[in-house]
Amino acid sequence: MNYKIFCDESCHIQNDGWDHMILGALRCPENEYEKVKNDIKNIKLKHYTPFEIKWTKVSKSRLKLYKELIDYFKKSNMVYRAVIVMNKSSLEHEKFHQTHSEFYYKTYYLVLKELMNKDSNYKIYLDIKDTHGKEALVSFERVFNNTRELPVPFMQHIRSDESQLLQLADLLTGAVSYRNRDLSSSKTKLELVQYLEKGLGIRLDMTTSKSYSKFNLFIQDPKRNWRQ
């Protein structure tokens, strides 16, 4: 099988004012990619929303659109996985002889490796606005080479406003981030989080079973030195 994986992140910068980090990825079978892309476009047009979908732009007037996108994801063959690092200010990078950037790439590998196996081929797409260009590709390649568990996949930067699936990844990662930051200032965003949780039968602030592949979550808390 061939797959495309779209990566999105939230609060990943070391000193950004938020004490958590969300790294997420959406996987789609490559032979279904064109259909999925066009289906998402059509859903957006149905709701008179031809522009880019982003969690930061979630509004009450577009609530039906977001819910329909979630419903579409649930029925599709796409899967999503995220690693949530809580209390990132407590990370002891010096103790483990690493920089925050190196920790970031190692953690993203934990996201990706659960979406991959040795018998399939993968193309991984990163949001060009949220990464560091060539440095990111080199760093990811280094992590894959060091672990030697999986072959180095094809990796490329793309613009989120040109990718329907990267926009969907942003929406899902935004919901996970909102729940784990325990926010509630936006009733629309909170309703969307609850709608996603109810539809999947999970909580977005708890680690899911490893066997639950549709929406797999892994929460790590370095401050308490345990994993939820």
Side-chain angles (χ1 to χ4, degrees), residues 55-82:
W55 179 259
T56 56
K57 296 181 179 179
V58 165
S59 63
K60 185 177 180 179
S61 64
R62 297 285 187 265
L63 184 57
K64 290 183 179 179
L65 163 65
Y66 309 131
K67 287 184 175 181
E68 187 165 346
L69 287 173
I70 288 174
D71 291 340
Y72 181 78
F73 163 76
K74 283 163 41 186
K75 296 175 183 177
S76 74
N77 290 320
M78 291 184 287
V79 300
Y80 176 87
R81 171 170 162 82

Side-chain angles (χ1 to χ4, degrees), residues 3 40 45 120 137 158 166 187 201 214 217 227:
Y3 295 94
I40 293 175
L45 290 174
S120 299
L137 300 182
I158 57 175
L166 193 54
K187 292 183 179 179
K214 183 63 180 179
L217 301 174
R227 299 170 178 179

Side-chain angles (χ1 to χ4, degrees), residues 23 98-113 116 124 134-153 155:
L23 304 178
Q98 64 186 8
T99 65
H100 184 73
S101 291
E102 289 170 333
F103 171 77
Y104 164 87
Y105 293 115
K106 290 176 184 177
T107 305
Y108 230 130
Y109 178 79
L110 296 179
V111 177
L112 295 171
K113 78 169 193 172
M116 301 171 64
I124 298 177
K134 186 177 180 180
E135 173 195 336
L137 300 182
V138 172
S139 297
F140 270 120
E141 183 175 349
R142 185 181 300 118
V143 173
F144 273 94
N145 282 326
N146 288 342
T147 59
R148 298 180 181 179
E149 295 176 293
L150 295 163
V152 179
M155 304 189 80

